[in-house]
Amino acid sequence: MKKLSLLLFLGLSLSLSAQEVYDDFEDNRNVQYGFSDGSRFEYIPNINLVGNPSTTVGQYIRNAGVQFDVIVIENGLMNDLTPYLTGAKTMSLQVY
């Protein structure tokens, strides 16, 4: 019984930490960028495939006149934000 409950717990914890891709700048574009305080945010061809084989990447050029960068991501799929507010889920944006 202990082995079964341990496997069930591990399976549950693995399913809770599953990754969701909201935008990979190619096929998965499930979000809109409603606002950014940078001077430009756009999809461009990837000119350096080393470490990232994607053919398209997002380019953000920051506004040097502001202290912090703000990018508002709008998504109709995120109806329940409870997992993010409790810390069960996190969101990351990989930047080069």
Side-chain angles (χ1 to χ4, degrees), residues 11 16-17 20 22 30-31 44 48 50 53 59 66 69 72 74 95:
L16 289 176
S17 63
E20 293 179 56
Y22 292 111
N30 299 316
V31 296
I44 63 166
N48 185 2
V50 176
Q59 180 183 42
V66 296
D69 290 346
V72 175
E74 298 173 350
V95 179

Side-chain angles (χ1 to χ4, degrees), residues 26-46:
E26 290 180 337
D27 298 328
N28 289 319
R29 292 186 181 177
N30 299 316
V31 296
Q32 297 291 322
Y33 300 94
F35 170 81
S36 70
D37 63 357
S39 62
R40 188 170 67 218
F41 186 82
E42 62 189 356
Y43 296 90
I44 63 166
N46 187 1

Side-chain angles (χ1 to χ4, degrees), residues 2-73:
K2 289 182 182 179
K3 290 181 183 179
L4 179 61
S5 61
L6 179 61
L7 290 174
L8 180 61
F9 176 73
L10 286 174
L12 180 61
S13 64
L14 289 175
S15 67
L16 289 176
S17 63
Q19 178 177 330
E20 293 179 56
V21 177
Y22 292 111
D23 190 355
D24 64 3
F25 302 104
E26 290 180 337
D27 298 328
N28 289 319
R29 292 186 181 177
N30 299 316
V31 296
Q32 297 291 322
Y33 300 94
F35 170 81
S36 70
D37 63 357
S39 62
R40 188 170 67 218
F41 186 82
E42 62 189 356
Y43 296 90
I44 63 166
N46 187 1
I47 59 171
N48 185 2
L49 299 175
V50 176
N52 181 2
S54 300
T55 57
T56 305
V57 295
Q59 180 183 42
Y60 174 80
I61 299 176
R62 76 175 312 270
N63 179 357
V66 296
Q67 185 174 2
F68 299 101
D69 290 346
V70 176
I71 300 174
V72 175
I73 300 173

